[in-house]
Amino acid sequence: MILNNIYNINIAEDITLPINQINDIEGVTTVEYNSKEKNISISIDSKHEDDAAEILQEVVAIVRQSGGKVLTENITRPVLNMTCAACASSSQNILSYVPGVVAASVNYGNGKGAIEYIPGIVSPQEMKSSLQEIGYDLLVDEEESSYENVEHIKEENYKKLRRNTIWAIILAIPLILIGMVFMNMPYANEAMLLLSTPILFIFGRRFFVGAWKQAKNRSANMDTLVALSTGIAYLFSLFNMIYPQFWESRGLEAHVYFEAAGVIIAFILLGKMMEARATGHTSDAIKMLMGLQPSSVVVFREGEPVEIPIADVIIGDIVLVKPGEKIAVDGEVVEGNSFVDESMISGEPIHVEKSLGAKVFAGTINQKGSFSFKAVKVGKDTLLAQIIKTVDEAQGSKAPVQGLVDKIAGIFVPVVIGIALLSFAIWLIFGGDTGFIYGLMAMVTVLVIACPCALGLATPTAIMVAIGKGASEGILIKDAESLELAKEIDVVVLDKTGTITEGKPQVTNITWSANALPIHKDILYSIEHRSEHPLADAITAYLKDESNLLDGVSVEQVSGKGIEGTYENATYYIGNESYMKSKDISIPIDIQKQIDLELEAAHTISIMADGQEAFGVVGITDKMKPTSKEAIAKLQSMGIEVAIYTGDNEKVAAALAKEVGVTNYRGGVLPEIKADLVKELQKQGKKVAMVGDGINDSGALAQADVSIAMGAGSDIAMDVAKMTIISSDLNKIPKAIHLSKATVRTIRQNLFWAFIYNVIGIPIAAGLLYPFTGFMLNPMIAGAAMALSSISVVTNSLRLKTKRI
């Protein structure tokens, strides 16, 4: 709540706040910290009220540096009425200057703004008002910012743009004929005035309205360039038509340029229309994913099948799926069996068999059979909804190179206006009798040809298409940075279980010592039944028909080592050899022999012991995925080193490494050691990708330059990772790297052409070639070139959709 110039910032927990450091910020008069309420009250001098946003952002940075967590909210909302990259830069700056906004990032490519703000100081509605003052808009309500509503607004805007473009072209055709062919016919100037006026001020009105709003806020964008260039040409022509004697008395001809002003607007409208249509295709992946969900579904209510809207499905509903139908929500099969096409989510073309207990996912398509399933996740919680959300957020993220482009776009328009004025002045001074005319045309042409749009679209369009392409291949990419970094990978570190292997361990046998008691089997079963360890399911499945579930058993997970269980005041330990050694547990000769046999067979072992002695050993095997060896060979053929770091024992690691042709491997690696090993590789100057699927991989995933999670793995691993392979097929990793290389190559091509277009086009427009060749670029040609520059960049990005990776 703001009281005059006092701002309150809430934090999550009490910290040692460097009040003196905050007091030293220019403009801050007093700082009060209430540790009990976890509230910082900042008073800002009224003279520095315009700097309040910057001051508060500095305070937030100090709090975070001190280990504090400021209570902020993050929203991503559509920003409307942007026409070029300079608009994104302008709207981003406006949002950043609103007191209470901690950070703002606006992406011209997908038309969205990501904003972090302090709720007690500013509201989304206030941000919306700030943007509206300069001619933009922010959709803040959940309903109005929904994908469907935004697409509806875009479609309506496109229809309006198309209508204006068609009418502008209809009027521009006779206008250019009169201006270029029939210029000497009677009333030619009056006819061109009548034709060009509606083109500029009715169908091209958006440029002048936008430029005026920018000017009121001492800002500039593409609208400014278009309005200035066409407005100057129009007013100059109007003056020459009304007062031709002004020039004729000086021995000069009173030229009019109505056709240039009108045709420039028509060309730019046509370019904008084509750009809007092409840019719309960059989000085809989202549209495709949204279209996977059916609008209605058949559920059983009171034993009868009833068709209901998908929004009315609740967890626990029994859903009926007939042949050829799309599955509406995530769930588990309770009756029947069939094959399901999951290619739209996993990227795998082979249909997956579904029977009792199998998981099914929203958006996938049932084939020939019928079955019923229980709804487990609905609405925003389904895998499909999460994929859509991730793709949408990733398409709005910015690649590191975009920072430089944004800075250039921010100063582009003022610099171009400066060059246009300079070219006019040079022509005026050195151009002789025709210096004014040529100078004016040079100024108009410079303003027309300069294009910040191509620069602004170069990176985000490529990122949007690439992330959509990845999603269609079953590669879920969370942000642009990881997509850009993937091409630089030197080493791929693989976990074993669930990454190289299927992650479906099976017990080969359980061996008990002579000292083991019959109840030990029940205790093992009961402890494993309550455990979340990856091997627990395999052991319980093996024992369930021959063991009893005991009451009063408590279990504690020991990460990377094993399980500690308690029953009737006795403690039992289940885990690997190193865990037994850490507990000073002795291993009898007969158990040790069995351990050695299991290890020789490259099996994983799990030993059971009480506080003194081991009395049982479980042998477990986990089949390698059929594609793992092929994927590792592909990575190695690309010059990428592959390493295997597993918590499994050294002999298992060695046998697996030998089978897949890997020389860099480590067994018995604890989670924290795995992260250290990744760090060690990074110290050698290598870019490291970590691939894992479990909770124990999360530390190494966080440490790696590029983190990749297996889709069948834990939620924690997927939360930490920047990429997720939905099908858990390692063959997708080479594809992700190829996609990264193709994307970065496309971005570089786009930026090269966007820069080279402006670097070459602007000097030519200013008349650089005239002294040598007598060539002056026609403003109408400049308008066409400007329109085509943006279209070429978007079209080049769209080529990624058909790229084989």
Side-chain angles (χ1 to χ4, degrees):
M1 191 76 183
I2 303 174
L3 300 171
N4 297 324
N5 56 351
I6 298 173
Y7 300 87
N8 291 313
I9 298 174
N10 294 318
I11 58 175
E13 54 193 24
D14 184 25
I15 60 168
T16 303
L17 187 70
I19 292 175
N20 291 338
Q21 194 178 345
I22 296 174
N23 264 321
D24 288 341
I25 300 172
E26 189 177 354
V28 173
T29 54
T30 59
V31 181
E32 293 180 11
Y33 176 44
N34 186 327
S35 58
K36 187 177 180 182
E37 297 292 329
K38 302 182 188 67
N39 174 267
I40 306 165
S41 182
I42 313 288
S43 180
I44 296 176
D45 191 326
S46 57
K47 294 177 185 176
H48 292 84
E49 193 59 30
D50 290 344
D51 303 319
E54 195 175 343
I55 291 168
L56 291 170
Q57 287 162 12
E58 200 171 337
V59 171
V60 169
I62 291 169
V63 171
R64 286 173 173 171
Q65 286 165 11
S66 305
K69 182 184 178 184
V70 178
L71 296 179
T72 62
E73 288 188 14
N74 290 276
I75 57 170
T76 299
R77 294 288 185 270
V79 179
L80 304 183
N81 306 332
M82 292 193 294
T83 57
C84 68
C87 295
S89 179
S90 175
S91 55
Q92 182 172 302
N93 288 337
I94 291 294
L95 288 168
S96 298
Y97 292 148
V98 176
V101 171
V102 176
S105 175
V106 178
N107 189 318
Y108 177 52
N110 74 342
K112 289 188 178 181
I115 309 157
E116 182 187 8
Y117 68 99
I118 303 168
I121 295 176
V122 68
S123 69
Q125 194 60 46
E126 288 171 287
M127 299 177 222
K128 180 185 178 82
S129 301
S130 297
L131 285 179
Q132 285 175 332
E133 286 176 14
I134 198 171
Y136 307 119
D137 200 359
L138 184 72
L139 301 182
V140 294
D141 294 337
E142 285 281 352
E143 191 173 329
E144 71 173 359
S145 62
S146 67
Y147 180 82
E148 292 83 358
N149 187 54
V150 172
E151 284 300 302
H152 174 71
I153 291 170
K154 284 181 181 177
E155 191 59 36
E156 290 301 309
N157 288 342
Y158 178 78
K159 286 177 182 176
K160 184 179 178 182
L161 177 59
R162 185 177 61 184
R163 190 164 56 246
N164 288 340
T165 302
I166 290 169
W167 278 109
I169 290 171
I170 288 170
L171 295 177
I173 291 169
L175 178 62
I176 197 169
L177 285 172
I178 294 170
M180 304 295 284
V181 181
F182 304 108
M183 69 283 286
N184 295 318
M185 75 177 207
Y187 302 108
N189 288 352
E190 288 79 359
M192 287 192 288
L193 172 66
L194 287 172
L195 289 167
S196 62
T197 300
I199 294 177
L200 264 73
F201 304 115
I202 297 176
F203 308 120
R205 180 176 177 270
R206 56 182 277 181
F207 300 116
F208 294 91
V209 171
W212 172 245
K213 286 180 177 178
Q214 291 288 322
K216 283 197 300 182
N217 287 275
R218 291 177 292 180
S219 186
N221 64 358
M222 192 204 78
D223 292 339
T224 310
L225 299 179
V226 175
L228 276 175
S229 58
T230 55
I232 289 168
Y234 180 87
L235 291 172
F236 179 67
S237 301
L238 190 62
F239 175 83
N240 287 359
M241 190 185 83
I242 297 171
Y243 301 109
Q245 60 272 23
F246 180 84
W247 299 105
E248 289 167 357
S249 65
R250 291 165 173 78
L252 298 170
E253 191 175 345
H255 288 287
V256 295
Y257 298 95
F258 289 122
E259 81 283 4
V263 172
I264 286 167
I265 291 287
F267 269 138
I268 292 171
L269 283 172
L270 178 62
K272 281 286 159 193
M273 185 186 82
M274 293 172 71
E275 180 190 314
R277 181 51 70 194
T279 308
H281 287 302
T282 61
S283 58
D284 281 350
I286 291 278
K287 293 173 190 170
M288 184 272 289
L289 290 167
M290 295 285 287
L292 292 176
Q293 212 166 30
S295 57
S296 62
V297 62
V298 175
V299 301
F300 288 94
R301 295 280 166 88
E302 296 179 0
E304 295 295 322
V306 181
E307 187 170 346
I308 62 171
I310 190 170
D312 293 345
V313 179
I314 58 173
I315 293 172
D317 270 342
I318 303 299
V319 182
L320 176 64
V321 186
K322 294 176 183 175
E325 288 185 344
K326 291 176 182 175
I327 293 168
V329 296
D330 293 358
E332 288 183 5
V333 176
V334 293
E335 187 181 339
N337 56 75
S338 182
F339 284 84
V340 173
D341 179 4
E342 295 184 347
S343 60
M344 61 291 299
I345 286 178
S346 67
E348 297 297 326
I350 300 169
H351 297 162
V352 182
E353 186 177 4
K354 301 293 178 182
S355 55
L356 187 67
K359 291 181 180 179
V360 291
F361 302 101
T364 56
I365 302 171
N366 183 31
Q367 297 304 295
K368 294 181 179 179
S370 294
F371 64 90
S372 300
F373 70 92
K374 182 171 73 173
V376 174
K377 290 181 179 179
V378 300
K380 293 179 179 179
D381 296 325
T382 65
L383 176 63
L384 178 62
Q386 292 300 311
I387 291 172
I388 291 169
K389 181 172 180 281
T390 301
V391 171
D392 190 34
E393 288 175 354
Q395 288 185 333
S397 64
K398 292 187 178 183
V401 70
Q402 186 67 23
L404 174 63
V405 176
D406 286 346
K407 286 177 183 175
I408 293 169
I411 61 168
F412 185 88
V413 174
V415 168
V416 167
I417 292 171
I419 293 170
L421 291 170
L422 180 64
S423 62
F424 175 71
I426 291 171
W427 273 102
L428 198 61
I429 295 166
F430 301 105
D433 292 340
T434 57
F436 184 86
I437 301 294
Y438 278 115
L440 192 72
M441 284 301 97
M443 181 171 70
V444 168
T445 309
V446 168
L447 291 171
V448 169
I449 203 167
C451 184
C453 302
L455 279 174
L457 290 166
T459 303
T461 51
I463 293 294
M464 288 175 73
V465 175
I467 284 167
K469 174 76 173 176
S472 69
E473 294 280 350
I475 305 163
L476 205 54
I477 302 163
K478 283 189 180 178
D479 61 27
E481 186 177 4
S482 58
L483 177 62
E484 190 176 329
L485 273 174
K487 74 173 184 63
E488 299 175 16
I489 291 171
D490 300 306
V491 185
V492 173
V493 176
L494 302 173
D495 176 44
K496 180 184 84 76
T497 307
T499 303
I500 300 174
T501 64
E502 290 183 345
K504 297 175 182 175
Q506 293 179 321
V507 173
T508 55
N509 61 74
I510 300 177
T511 304
W512 300 100
S513 73
N515 297 329
L517 301 173
I519 198 171
H520 284 156
K521 187 187 289 186
D522 294 336
I523 294 170
L524 174 62
Y525 176 67
S526 301
I527 291 173
E528 295 289 0
H529 183 79
R530 291 166 175 83
S531 168
E532 295 179 359
H533 192 279
L535 301 179
D537 288 343
I539 296 171
T540 51
Y542 186 84
L543 290 172
K544 68 178 181 180
D545 294 331
E546 53 187 81
S547 305
N548 299 309
L549 190 63
L550 304 173
D551 293 326
V553 174
S554 62
V555 174
E556 184 182 340
Q557 192 79 36
V558 183
S559 182
K561 293 182 179 180
I563 314 165
E564 184 178 313
T566 307
Y567 177 67
E568 291 186 349
N569 298 321
T571 302
Y572 297 91
Y573 304 97
I574 304 169
N576 55 31
E577 281 185 286
S578 63
Y579 185 40
M580 297 298 128
K581 286 175 185 175
S582 70
K583 295 295 178 183
D584 292 326
I585 291 169
S586 64
I587 300 177
I589 294 171
D590 56 341
I591 293 294
Q592 187 61 58
K593 281 182 180 179
Q594 187 60 35
I595 290 171
D596 294 339
L597 285 172
E598 297 289 351
L599 294 178
E600 285 298 326
H603 291 168
T604 301
I605 58 159
S606 192
I607 304 165
M608 183 177 184
D610 55 22
Q612 287 78 41
E613 187 178 79
F615 48 74
V617 60
V618 184
I620 302 165
T621 186
D622 188 5
K623 282 199 316 187
M624 187 167 66
K625 293 174 187 173
T627 57
S628 292
K629 193 172 182 178
E630 178 192 354
I632 290 167
K634 281 182 184 176
L635 288 168
Q636 290 169 334
S637 69
M638 293 164 66
I640 296 169
E641 182 187 345
V642 178
I644 299 172
Y645 298 156
T646 175
D648 220 326
N649 66 76
E650 192 74 20
K651 286 187 177 179
V652 171
L656 180 67
K658 185 179 179 182
E659 187 176 354
V660 297
V662 171
T663 55
N664 182 359
Y665 65 89
R666 288 280 295 272
V669 179
L670 296 175
E672 59 272 19
I673 302 298
K674 198 177 285 188
D676 289 340
L677 289 170
V678 169
K679 199 182 295 182
E680 198 61 43
L681 289 169
Q682 290 169 326
K683 284 178 183 176
Q684 296 170 24
K686 296 176 179 178
K687 293 287 184 186
V688 182
M690 174 66 204
V691 188
D693 76 323
I695 295 169
N696 61 332
D697 297 318
S698 57
L701 286 167
Q703 177 62 43
D705 298 290
V706 178
S707 47
I708 305 170
M710 296 287 106
S714 72
D715 290 341
I716 291 176
M718 283 186 275
D719 285 344
V720 173
K722 295 296 183 182
M723 290 188 190
T724 298
I725 307 299
I726 297 171
S727 66
S728 298
D729 179 1
L730 286 180
N731 264 324
K732 301 292 184 181
I733 297 172
K735 286 192 172 191
I737 295 169
H738 285 307
L739 179 62
S740 171
K741 289 178 178 178
T743 305
V744 172
R745 189 163 53 246
T746 301
I747 289 170
R748 285 175 179 167
Q749 290 167 355
N750 287 350
L751 288 174
F752 172 79
W753 288 114
F755 275 111
I756 211 76
Y757 163 82
N758 284 294
V759 168
I760 294 174
I762 291 173
I764 291 173
L768 184 67
L769 297 180
Y770 187 81
F772 311 105
T773 63
F775 175 77
M776 280 292 287
L777 186 64
N778 189 308
M780 292 185 287
I781 304 300
M786 184 265 206
L788 286 170
S789 66
S790 297
I791 298 163
S792 63
V793 163
V794 178
T795 305
N796 190 43
S797 295
L798 288 172
R799 287 173 56 240
L800 282 169
K801 291 174 73 173
T802 56
K803 186 84 176 172
R804 291 191 67 182
I805 58 172

